[in-house]
Amino acid sequence: MKILALSGSLRAASINSAVLRVVRELAPASIEVRLFTTLGDLPLYNPDLESAPPAAAQLLRDEVASADVLLIASPEYAHGVTGTIKNALDWLVAFEGFVYKPVAVLNAAPRAHHADAALRETLITMSATLIEAASITLPLPSANIGEADLLAVPELVSLLGGVLAQIERAVNQSPAMKPYLDSSLYIDTQHPAIVAQAAKLAVGCADEEEIAKRCFEFVRDEIKHSWDYRLNPVTCKASEVLIHGTGYCYAKSHLLAALLRANGIPAGMCYQRLTIDGDQPPYCLHGLNAVYLQQYGWYRIDARGNKPGVNADFCPPLERLAFPIMNPLEQDLPGIRAQPLPVVVKALTEHQTVEQVYQNLPDIAASDQ
């Protein structure tokens, strides 16, 4: 699980930043706490820049999209939230990746309750999912102490450890996970064939990680890549991929997502933008998956199908994808999508043969990401 930590203070000796660093120090191996340290680089929010956000704002959005949880610690200035944290949230107001995002708020000053209440109100208005059990006020002995001093107070260590435990518990039960468990037109988890195959793959498994590995290996090894084997028909729905035993990488990712969801394991789609041949354009999208494992958080897997030069595997927490990014023209598209990209669905449903799909592989311009 990944927690993105935001401090509302830009002071080098900020107690709020120190608290977040202590949280990072206390986090178990299953939780990565990443401190976002460049809020001060954000320009003042301007709605006219929404169509092309400045680099600092885009970086914030990308980090928010890839995080499972936000953890905010911010001081109170003149009975209000700091301009730093308010400006950061303004850049996220119109950002789809923030909606339903689980957020916890730490208040490092017991007497500073105005900003804490205002921050919570803003987050709720922005459709964040506030983790109340992890949003606490800390009984700090002083406002001028650092990480070592904080770590030396057993009560604070216990409280912050409890915050991490409550966050992990909440994320596993969060409404934000619901889209990654839902059945839909193309991820048709409730189709009888999907239900039966998912149950078959889960037999005898000790835990969700073993189930996820079996699902991955089944799709990677037993479902043939349509272009590798020149197999028709062109499939898109997960159930079609399973029934016909073939699919492009995108379609195989639909099947893997459906099998995982049918077993109660959150799963989504990820995409890479790769060059088709060599180190120059044209580009095309490549489809893969992310699965949420309680021990590791979101973990990307690629069931495209191995062949000479391609050796994807399931070995968390290490990623072993089919196509590592090799040059600056290629990229991992940010975010984990609950549903396939429309351009992918269009390519798989409007062409009748695998040859036609290959001549019209889906792509997405950088400006549309």
Side-chain angles (χ1 to χ4, degrees):
M1 181 178 70
K2 177 180 174 181
I3 297 176
L4 183 66
L6 306 179
S7 172
S9 174
L10 300 181
R11 292 175 57 241
S14 164
I15 186 64
N16 289 275
S17 299
V19 166
L20 294 176
R21 289 193 291 269
V22 168
V23 172
R24 180 177 61 184
E25 182 76 15
L26 296 174
S30 60
I31 301 178
E32 174 193 359
V33 179
R34 181 180 178 86
L35 273 63
F36 191 88
T37 59
T38 55
L39 288 186
D41 295 341
L42 287 170
L44 291 176
Y45 177 67
N46 182 349
D48 291 340
L49 301 178
E50 273 296 333
S51 59
Q58 189 58 56
L59 175 62
L60 174 63
R61 291 180 173 187
D62 290 346
E63 290 286 344
V64 168
S66 65
D68 300 296
V69 187
L70 300 187
L71 178 61
I72 300 175
S74 186
E76 178 172 296
Y77 291 169
H79 281 193
V81 298
T82 68
T84 300
I85 203 66
K86 182 60 169 66
N87 188 50
L89 293 176
D90 285 346
W91 279 110
L92 298 173
V93 166
F95 177 50
E96 183 181 351
F98 184 82
V99 177
Y100 302 129
K101 182 71 67 174
V103 182
V105 178
L106 297 179
N107 180 16
R111 293 196 299 173
H113 57 87
H114 298 282
D116 184 60
L119 179 55
R120 289 166 179 252
E121 174 65 22
T122 298
L123 291 167
I124 292 171
T125 302
M126 291 171 63
S127 298
T129 301
L130 192 62
I131 308 175
E132 286 288 357
S135 298
I136 63 173
T137 296
L138 299 170
L140 299 183
S142 168
N144 297 304
I145 57 177
E147 295 101 290
D149 301 306
L150 293 170
L151 286 166
V153 181
E155 181 184 2
L156 290 176
V157 170
S158 177
L159 283 172
L160 292 175
V163 165
L164 288 165
Q166 291 291 351
I167 286 175
E168 192 164 32
R169 185 177 297 111
V171 169
N172 292 340
Q173 301 171 350
S174 169
M177 284 296 180
K178 185 176 183 301
Y180 301 102
L181 290 166
D182 282 347
S183 183
S184 64
L185 178 60
Y186 297 104
I187 316 299
D188 50 347
T189 303
Q190 297 177 352
H191 189 283
I194 297 290
V195 172
Q197 185 62 45
K200 180 180 178 181
L201 290 168
V203 170
C205 289
D207 54 28
E208 65 173 11
E209 184 176 337
E210 188 175 352
I211 295 173
K213 179 178 174 67
R214 279 199 191 174
C215 291
F216 165 79
E217 292 179 344
F218 170 78
V219 177
R220 183 192 65 183
D221 301 337
E222 303 300 327
I223 305 297
K224 294 180 171 60
H225 189 282
S226 296
W227 184 246
D228 286 356
Y229 290 87
R230 302 300 197 274
L231 286 175
N232 286 305
V234 177
T235 55
C236 186
K237 290 183 179 180
S239 58
E240 295 174 343
V241 181
L242 179 60
I243 291 168
H244 294 289
T246 187
Y248 268 90
C249 59
Y250 326 102
K252 293 185 71 170
S253 75
H254 302 170
L255 173 58
L256 181 51
L259 292 171
L260 290 166
R261 293 181 189 185
N263 276 305
I265 302 173
M269 272 62 63
C270 301
Y271 297 93
Q272 295 174 315
R273 192 174 192 236
L274 306 176
T275 55
I276 294 177
D277 185 21
D279 58 358
Q280 58 187 348
Y283 303 94
C284 73
L285 295 181
H286 171 62
L288 54 151
N289 293 93
V291 56
Y292 190 85
L293 302 172
Q294 291 190 24
Q295 184 177 356
Y296 306 106
W298 284 110
Y299 171 65
R300 290 192 304 169
I301 48 179
D302 192 339
R304 176 221 179 271
N306 289 340
K307 63 178 184 177
V310 175
N311 185 28
D313 203 357
F314 183 99
C315 45
L318 300 177
E319 286 186 349
R320 187 173 293 171
L321 306 181
F323 302 111
I325 299 300
M326 299 299 292
N327 66 66
L329 296 176
E330 301 179 327
Q331 66 179 124
D332 292 310
L333 270 62
I336 300 167
R337 292 163 170 81
Q339 299 302 326
L341 283 173
V343 67
V344 167
V345 172
K346 178 180 173 69
L348 296 179
T349 58
E350 293 190 357
H351 299 104
Q352 302 301 311
T353 67
V354 293
E355 291 79 12
Q356 290 172 350
V357 173
Y358 186 77
Q359 294 301 319
N360 297 275
L361 290 171
D363 188 20
I364 185 169
S367 61
D368 295 332
Q369 294 174 25

